[in-house]
Amino acid sequence: MKVVVAGATGRIGSRSVTRLRDHGAQVVPLSRALSVNAGDAHALHRALRGAQILVNVTDAPSRQQDVSTTFFGETTRSILMAARKAGAEHYVALSAVGAGRVASGYLRAQAAQEDLVRRSALPYSPVRATPFFASGESAVCAGVHADGVHVAPLLRPVAAGDVAAPSPTPPSRCRCSASWRPPDPRSDRSRTSPPTCSPPRTA
């Protein structure tokens, strides 16, 4: 099975590539660090040829709303167009818990990314993750104000390895009606259920 991973050299992408290869998948990594830009239509078309699954774990270079909105919008449109032309069967998109519900420019940008995927013709799975343990320090530093440290309530970090693509097994040809949430590190992982799916909408 051929799986294309966009954002393949990042925190989640590198782990996803390793795990997918360990499961026997033919993985094609895409990353600016590998000189393969998600905005390069020709490179995307070549990489996606014959791929069954596309995993998009790219991330914006800034948490500012205008920067992240532009990045997610342009990148997602470019990848979706290439995936449709290549006949990809499933699209997996990394997002964040609270996208569209929390007053954050970055999360609004991720909600807009989800909306683009939702309105596409591709079966898809949104993976909404909570902040990673590795980013805890930066989250606290960003919350430092004159009157103290402001931290989001019920912040439950997750290990990056729990978010990385777990298996190359192709999902059913459906559009997911619920987001898969990475398991709580304190809970029994065997109790974590995959998203429920419903048939694709027809015009």
Side-chain angles (χ1 to χ4, degrees):
M1 173 175 295
K2 183 175 179 179
V3 183
V4 174
V5 179
T9 56
R11 177 180 289 130
I12 302 302
S14 58
R15 289 170 169 82
S16 296
V17 168
T18 298
R19 188 166 297 179
L20 287 165
R21 284 176 173 163
D22 286 345
H23 280 80
Q26 176 192 351
V27 181
V28 178
L30 300 180
S31 171
R32 285 173 293 180
L34 301 174
S35 300
V36 183
N37 194 316
D40 185 337
H42 181 70
L44 283 176
H45 177 73
R46 184 171 60 251
L48 282 161
R49 189 178 299 137
Q52 285 79 40
I53 299 175
L54 171 63
V55 179
N56 182 5
V57 291
T58 55
D59 195 11
S62 169
R63 292 299 188 265
Q64 294 180 358
Q65 182 171 353
D66 56 345
V67 176
S68 53
T69 298
T70 298
F71 175 85
F72 285 128
E74 293 180 351
T75 300
T76 302
R77 288 187 185 92
S78 179
I79 293 177
L80 282 171
M81 182 179 297
R84 285 195 298 268
K85 289 182 178 179
E89 298 175 8
H90 206 89
Y91 186 102
V92 180
L94 178 63
S95 186
V97 171
R101 294 185 287 111
V102 177
S104 160
Y106 176 74
L107 292 181
R108 290 194 187 101
Q110 290 209 318
Q113 173 194 214
E114 286 188 24
D115 188 55
L116 286 172
V117 178
R118 191 178 299 113
R119 289 189 284 109
S120 75
L122 285 173
Y124 68 94
S125 295
V127 178
R128 288 181 171 177
T130 55
F132 305 119
F133 285 112
S135 62
E137 182 179 354
S138 60
V140 172
C141 290
V144 174
H145 299 274
D147 60 343
V149 178
H150 299 181
V151 179
L154 302 178
L155 182 64
R156 183 179 293 174
V158 67
D162 286 335
V163 180
S167 166
T169 302
S172 58
R173 295 184 66 83
C174 64
R175 299 180 69 86
C176 291
S177 56
S179 301
W180 176 78
R181 179 174 295 184
D184 181 345
R186 297 171 296 179
S187 68
D188 180 357
R189 295 184 186 183
S190 65
R191 297 177 184 172
T192 301
S193 302
T196 57
C197 296
S198 55
R201 290 178 298 219
T202 55

